[in-house]
PDB file of all heavy atoms in Angstrom:
ATOM      1  N   LEU A 161     -11.783  -1.161   9.701  1.00  0.00           N
ATOM      2  CA  LEU A 161     -10.361  -1.208   9.314  1.00  0.00           C
ATOM      3  C   LEU A 161     -10.280  -1.376   7.773  1.00  0.00           C
ATOM      4  O   LEU A 161     -10.468  -2.499   7.186  1.00  0.00           O
ATOM      5  CB  LEU A 161      -9.663  -2.439  10.008  1.00  0.00           C
ATOM      6  CG  LEU A 161      -9.689  -2.353  11.528  1.00  0.00           C
ATOM      7  CD1 LEU A 161      -9.088  -3.592  12.057  1.00  0.00           C
ATOM      8  CD2 LEU A 161      -8.920  -1.095  11.919  1.00  0.00           C
ATOM      9  N   PRO A 162     -10.028  -0.375   7.046  1.00  0.00           N
ATOM     10  CA  PRO A 162     -10.144  -0.361   5.566  1.00  0.00           C
ATOM     11  C   PRO A 162      -9.194  -1.365   4.967  1.00  0.00           C
ATOM     12  O   PRO A 162      -9.564  -2.013   3.959  1.00  0.00           O
ATOM     13  CB  PRO A 162      -9.748   1.079   5.082  1.00  0.00           C
ATOM     14  CG  PRO A 162     -10.088   1.877   6.238  1.00  0.00           C
ATOM     15  CD  PRO A 162      -9.827   1.048   7.462  1.00  0.00           C
ATOM     16  N   LEU A 163      -8.007  -1.618   5.539  1.00  0.00           N
ATOM     17  CA  LEU A 163      -7.138  -2.531   4.987  1.00  0.00           C
ATOM     18  C   LEU A 163      -7.332  -4.004   5.380  1.00  0.00           C
ATOM     19  O   LEU A 163      -6.589  -4.920   4.931  1.00  0.00           O
ATOM     20  CB  LEU A 163      -5.659  -2.166   5.388  1.00  0.00           C
ATOM     21  CG  LEU A 163      -5.189  -0.735   4.933  1.00  0.00           C
ATOM     22  CD1 LEU A 163      -3.837  -0.478   5.558  1.00  0.00           C
ATOM     23  CD2 LEU A 163      -5.111  -0.751   3.404  1.00  0.00           C
ATOM     24  N   GLN A 164      -8.280  -4.225   6.186  1.00  0.00           N
ATOM     25  CA  GLN A 164      -8.481  -5.659   6.684  1.00  0.00           C
ATOM     26  C   GLN A 164      -8.734  -6.645   5.614  1.00  0.00           C
ATOM     27  O   GLN A 164      -8.235  -7.807   5.566  1.00  0.00           O
ATOM     28  CB  GLN A 164      -9.668  -5.625   7.672  1.00  0.00           C
ATOM     29  CG  GLN A 164      -9.961  -6.997   8.365  1.00  0.00           C
ATOM     30  CD  GLN A 164     -11.066  -6.906   9.388  1.00  0.00           C
ATOM     31  OE1 GLN A 164     -12.084  -6.252   9.235  1.00  0.00           O
ATOM     32  NE2 GLN A 164     -10.973  -7.716  10.322  1.00  0.00           N
ATOM     33  N   ALA A 165      -9.590  -6.382   4.643  1.00  0.00           N
ATOM     34  CA  ALA A 165      -9.845  -7.404   3.607  1.00  0.00           C
ATOM     35  C   ALA A 165      -8.675  -7.615   2.800  1.00  0.00           C
ATOM     36  O   ALA A 165      -8.370  -8.857   2.490  1.00  0.00           O
ATOM     37  CB  ALA A 165     -10.984  -6.778   2.687  1.00  0.00           C
ATOM     38  N   TYR A 166      -7.821  -6.678   2.547  1.00  0.00           N
ATOM     39  CA  TYR A 166      -6.601  -6.974   1.709  1.00  0.00           C
ATOM     40  C   TYR A 166      -5.526  -7.832   2.547  1.00  0.00           C
ATOM     41  O   TYR A 166      -5.088  -8.809   1.986  1.00  0.00           O
ATOM     42  CB  TYR A 166      -5.893  -5.553   1.322  1.00  0.00           C
ATOM     43  CG  TYR A 166      -4.664  -5.802   0.503  1.00  0.00           C
ATOM     44  CD1 TYR A 166      -4.659  -6.197  -0.691  1.00  0.00           C
ATOM     45  CD2 TYR A 166      -3.395  -5.637   1.182  1.00  0.00           C
ATOM     46  CE1 TYR A 166      -3.417  -6.298  -1.499  1.00  0.00           C
ATOM     47  CE2 TYR A 166      -2.215  -5.721   0.470  1.00  0.00           C
ATOM     48  CZ  TYR A 166      -2.255  -6.114  -0.816  1.00  0.00           C
ATOM     49  OH  TYR A 166      -1.091  -6.287  -1.576  1.00  0.00           O
ATOM     50  N   LEU A 167      -5.430  -7.469   3.795  1.00  0.00           N
ATOM     51  CA  LEU A 167      -4.549  -8.264   4.736  1.00  0.00           C
ATOM     52  C   LEU A 167      -5.048  -9.747   4.856  1.00  0.00           C
ATOM     53  O   LEU A 167      -4.261 -10.647   4.877  1.00  0.00           O
ATOM     54  CB  LEU A 167      -4.325  -7.549   6.001  1.00  0.00           C
ATOM     55  CG  LEU A 167      -3.743  -6.259   5.910  1.00  0.00           C
ATOM     56  CD1 LEU A 167      -3.775  -5.556   7.338  1.00  0.00           C
ATOM     57  CD2 LEU A 167      -2.227  -6.217   5.393  1.00  0.00           C
ATOM     58  N   LEU A 168      -6.332  -9.825   5.049  1.00  0.00           N
ATOM     59  CA  LEU A 168      -6.871 -11.217   5.237  1.00  0.00           C
ATOM     60  C   LEU A 168      -6.741 -12.048   3.910  1.00  0.00           C
ATOM     61  O   LEU A 168      -6.528 -13.255   4.037  1.00  0.00           O
ATOM     62  CB  LEU A 168      -8.358 -11.173   5.607  1.00  0.00           C
ATOM     63  CG  LEU A 168      -8.544 -10.652   7.065  1.00  0.00           C
ATOM     64  CD1 LEU A 168     -10.050 -10.588   7.377  1.00  0.00           C
ATOM     65  CD2 LEU A 168      -7.784 -11.578   8.129  1.00  0.00           C
ATOM     66  N   THR A 169      -6.819 -11.344   2.774  1.00  0.00           N
ATOM     67  CA  THR A 169      -6.767 -12.060   1.584  1.00  0.00           C
ATOM     68  C   THR A 169      -5.248 -12.611   1.395  1.00  0.00           C
ATOM     69  O   THR A 169      -4.950 -13.716   0.983  1.00  0.00           O
ATOM     70  CB  THR A 169      -7.135 -11.115   0.309  1.00  0.00           C
ATOM     71  OG1 THR A 169      -8.525 -10.893   0.359  1.00  0.00           O
ATOM     72  CG2 THR A 169      -6.876 -11.765  -1.057  1.00  0.00           C
ATOM     73  N   ALA A 170      -4.414 -11.650   1.751  1.00  0.00           N
ATOM     74  CA  ALA A 170      -2.905 -11.962   1.657  1.00  0.00           C
ATOM     75  C   ALA A 170      -2.594 -13.197   2.606  1.00  0.00           C
ATOM     76  O   ALA A 170      -1.890 -14.104   2.265  1.00  0.00           O
ATOM     77  CB  ALA A 170      -2.132 -10.726   1.904  1.00  0.00           C
ATOM     78  N   LEU A 171      -3.166 -13.046   3.763  1.00  0.00           N
ATOM     79  CA  LEU A 171      -2.885 -14.015   4.772  1.00  0.00           C
ATOM     80  C   LEU A 171      -3.495 -15.457   4.285  1.00  0.00           C
ATOM     81  O   LEU A 171      -2.697 -16.472   4.414  1.00  0.00           O
ATOM     82  CB  LEU A 171      -3.517 -13.792   6.102  1.00  0.00           C
ATOM     83  CG  LEU A 171      -3.284 -14.616   7.291  1.00  0.00           C
ATOM     84  CD1 LEU A 171      -1.845 -14.595   7.708  1.00  0.00           C
ATOM     85  CD2 LEU A 171      -4.197 -14.298   8.509  1.00  0.00           C
ATOM     86  N   GLY A 172      -4.559 -15.429   3.660  1.00  0.00           N
ATOM     87  CA  GLY A 172      -5.183 -16.647   3.106  1.00  0.00           C
ATOM     88  C   GLY A 172      -4.320 -17.311   2.031  1.00  0.00           C
ATOM     89  O   GLY A 172      -4.245 -18.556   1.870  1.00  0.00           O
ATOM     90  N   LEU A 173      -3.730 -16.405   1.128  1.00  0.00           N
ATOM     91  CA  LEU A 173      -2.806 -16.867   0.027  1.00  0.00           C
ATOM     92  C   LEU A 173      -1.625 -17.656   0.765  1.00  0.00           C
ATOM     93  O   LEU A 173      -1.264 -18.660   0.216  1.00  0.00           O
ATOM     94  CB  LEU A 173      -2.305 -15.697  -0.674  1.00  0.00           C
ATOM     95  CG  LEU A 173      -3.421 -15.038  -1.575  1.00  0.00           C
ATOM     96  CD1 LEU A 173      -2.913 -13.773  -2.304  1.00  0.00           C
ATOM     97  CD2 LEU A 173      -3.990 -15.975  -2.653  1.00  0.00           C
ATOM     98  N   ILE A 174      -1.112 -17.142   1.819  1.00  0.00           N
ATOM     99  CA  ILE A 174       0.117 -17.689   2.404  1.00  0.00           C
ATOM    100  C   ILE A 174      -0.339 -19.002   3.087  1.00  0.00           C
ATOM    101  O   ILE A 174       0.392 -20.103   2.919  1.00  0.00           O
ATOM    102  CB  ILE A 174       0.695 -16.833   3.462  1.00  0.00           C
ATOM    103  CG1 ILE A 174       1.284 -15.561   2.760  1.00  0.00           C
ATOM    104  CG2 ILE A 174       1.791 -17.517   4.279  1.00  0.00           C
ATOM    105  CD1 ILE A 174       1.689 -14.415   3.643  1.00  0.00           C
ATOM    106  N   GLU A 175      -1.517 -19.069   3.694  1.00  0.00           N
ATOM    107  CA  GLU A 175      -1.883 -20.267   4.410  1.00  0.00           C
ATOM    108  C   GLU A 175      -2.244 -21.380   3.424  1.00  0.00           C
ATOM    109  O   GLU A 175      -1.900 -22.522   3.648  1.00  0.00           O
ATOM    110  CB  GLU A 175      -3.159 -19.930   5.196  1.00  0.00           C
ATOM    111  CG  GLU A 175      -2.972 -19.126   6.473  1.00  0.00           C
ATOM    112  CD  GLU A 175      -4.208 -18.604   7.103  1.00  0.00           C
ATOM    113  OE1 GLU A 175      -5.253 -18.613   6.454  1.00  0.00           O
ATOM    114  OE2 GLU A 175      -4.149 -18.247   8.332  1.00  0.00           O
ATOM    115  N   ALA A 176      -2.807 -20.941   2.294  1.00  0.00           N
ATOM    116  CA  ALA A 176      -3.030 -22.040   1.200  1.00  0.00           C
ATOM    117  C   ALA A 176      -1.760 -22.499   0.731  1.00  0.00           C
ATOM    118  O   ALA A 176      -1.662 -23.692   0.386  1.00  0.00           O
ATOM    119  CB  ALA A 176      -3.858 -21.365   0.082  1.00  0.00           C
ATOM    120  N   ALA A 177      -0.745 -21.666   0.489  1.00  0.00           N
ATOM    121  CA  ALA A 177       0.625 -22.078  -0.031  1.00  0.00           C
ATOM    122  C   ALA A 177       1.187 -23.066   1.050  1.00  0.00           C
ATOM    123  O   ALA A 177       1.906 -24.056   0.619  1.00  0.00           O
ATOM    124  CB  ALA A 177       1.462 -20.874  -0.320  1.00  0.00           C
ATOM    125  N   GLN A 178       1.129 -22.679   2.353  1.00  0.00           N
ATOM    126  CA  GLN A 178       1.649 -23.536   3.411  1.00  0.00           C
ATOM    127  C   GLN A 178       0.913 -24.954   3.384  1.00  0.00           C
ATOM    128  O   GLN A 178       1.569 -25.967   3.412  1.00  0.00           O
ATOM    129  CB  GLN A 178       1.377 -22.960   4.723  1.00  0.00           C
ATOM    130  CG  GLN A 178       2.293 -21.832   5.094  1.00  0.00           C
ATOM    131  CD  GLN A 178       2.081 -21.193   6.383  1.00  0.00           C
ATOM    132  OE1 GLN A 178       0.880 -20.952   6.815  1.00  0.00           O
ATOM    133  NE2 GLN A 178       3.170 -20.918   7.153  1.00  0.00           N
ATOM    134  N   ALA A 179      -0.451 -24.987   3.203  1.00  0.00           N
ATOM    135  CA  ALA A 179      -1.186 -26.291   3.224  1.00  0.00           C
ATOM    136  C   ALA A 179      -0.826 -27.053   2.006  1.00  0.00           C
ATOM    137  O   ALA A 179      -0.887 -28.313   2.124  1.00  0.00           O
ATOM    138  CB  ALA A 179      -2.670 -25.918   3.201  1.00  0.00           C
ATOM    139  N   SER A 180      -0.417 -26.407   0.911  1.00  0.00           N
ATOM    140  CA  SER A 180      -0.011 -27.166  -0.264  1.00  0.00           C
ATOM    141  C   SER A 180       1.421 -27.625  -0.212  1.00  0.00           C
ATOM    142  O   SER A 180       1.883 -28.314  -1.178  1.00  0.00           O
ATOM    143  CB  SER A 180      -0.307 -26.448  -1.505  1.00  0.00           C
ATOM    144  OG  SER A 180       0.527 -25.271  -1.625  1.00  0.00           O
ATOM    145  N   GLY A 181       2.198 -27.219   0.727  1.00  0.00           N
ATOM    146  CA  GLY A 181       3.564 -27.556   0.917  1.00  0.00           C
ATOM    147  C   GLY A 181       4.527 -26.765   0.126  1.00  0.00           C
ATOM    148  O   GLY A 181       5.833 -27.143   0.106  1.00  0.00           O
ATOM    149  N   VAL A 182       4.199 -25.639  -0.435  1.00  0.00           N
ATOM    150  CA  VAL A 182       5.103 -24.883  -1.263  1.00  0.00           C
ATOM    151  C   VAL A 182       5.740 -23.796  -0.474  1.00  0.00           C
ATOM    152  O   VAL A 182       6.744 -23.086  -0.935  1.00  0.00           O
ATOM    153  CB  VAL A 182       4.437 -24.247  -2.480  1.00  0.00           C
ATOM    154  CG1 VAL A 182       3.952 -25.349  -3.445  1.00  0.00           C
ATOM    155  CG2 VAL A 182       3.279 -23.248  -2.100  1.00  0.00           C
ATOM    156  N   VAL A 183       5.268 -23.467   0.814  1.00  0.00           N
ATOM    157  CA  VAL A 183       5.816 -22.413   1.662  1.00  0.00           C
ATOM    158  C   VAL A 183       6.025 -22.998   3.000  1.00  0.00           C
ATOM    159  O   VAL A 183       5.324 -23.849   3.423  1.00  0.00           O
ATOM    160  CB  VAL A 183       4.839 -21.238   1.777  1.00  0.00           C
ATOM    161  CG1 VAL A 183       5.153 -20.322   2.899  1.00  0.00           C
ATOM    162  CG2 VAL A 183       4.784 -20.450   0.390  1.00  0.00           C
TER     163      VAL A 183
END
Side-chain angles (χ1 to χ4, degrees):
L161 298 174
L163 298 174
Q164 184 176 33
Y166 180 76
L167 294 174
L168 290 178
T169 297
L171 187 67
L173 294 172
I174 295 171
E175 290 172 339
Q178 286 179 318
S180 68
V182 298
V183 163

